[in-house]
Amino acid sequence: MTDTKAVVEAHPVGPVQTVLAALQDPVRLEMVRRLANAGTALQCGLLYDTINKSTATHHLKTLREAGVTERITENGQTYARLRADEVGAALPGLLEAVVSAANHAQAASADTRD
C-alpha cells in the first residue's frame, strides 16, 4: 500500500465505555487482534473468515465509529488500520491489555485443538 490517492476515514477515539463495547464482540476482537499482530493496515477481507461481507462491514463500521480503526481506500482497495497510537494516548494500556488477552486466548484455544 502506498500513500498516493488514499482516502482515510477515521473518528475520534470514543470514551472507554464505547471502545470496550466495540471490543466485546468476538468477531470485532478478532479483527483488532489480527490488525495488532500485523502491525500495519490490512485489506478488510483478511480480517474475517466465518462471516459474510455485509456483516463484516457492520463490524468494521462499529470499530471505526469507536475510534479503534480507520478505513483507508486506495486504488479501489479498502484497508483497515488499527489506531493503536491514538487509542493508547486516549486510553493508556487498554488496547495492549485487550490484544494480549485475545492472543493468549487464541493460543490456548489452538492448544486444545491439537
Side-chain angles (χ1 to χ4, degrees), residues 20-86:
L20 287 174
L23 295 173
Q24 65 85 28
D25 183 276
V27 172
R28 292 191 291 265
L29 180 57
E30 177 62 14
M31 290 175 163
V32 168
R33 190 185 76 78
R34 289 180 184 192
L35 284 168
N37 291 339
T40 189
L42 293 175
Q43 284 187 345
C44 293
L46 298 175
L47 298 177
Y48 57 91
D49 300 323
T50 60
I51 58 174
N52 63 40
K53 187 176 179 179
S54 64
T55 301
T57 299
H58 162 74
H59 286 302
L60 289 165
K61 179 181 177 187
T62 300
L63 289 169
R64 194 170 54 253
E65 289 178 345
V68 177
T69 63
E70 66 185 7
R71 177 172 54 193
I72 304 167
T73 305
E74 180 178 21
N75 299 325
Q77 297 293 318
T78 304
Y79 302 85
R81 184 185 76 84
L82 185 63
R83 300 179 69 225
D85 292 340
E86 295 88 340

Side-chain angles (χ1 to χ4, degrees), residues 10 12 49 104 107 113:
D49 300 323
H104 180 73
R113 288 190 301 254

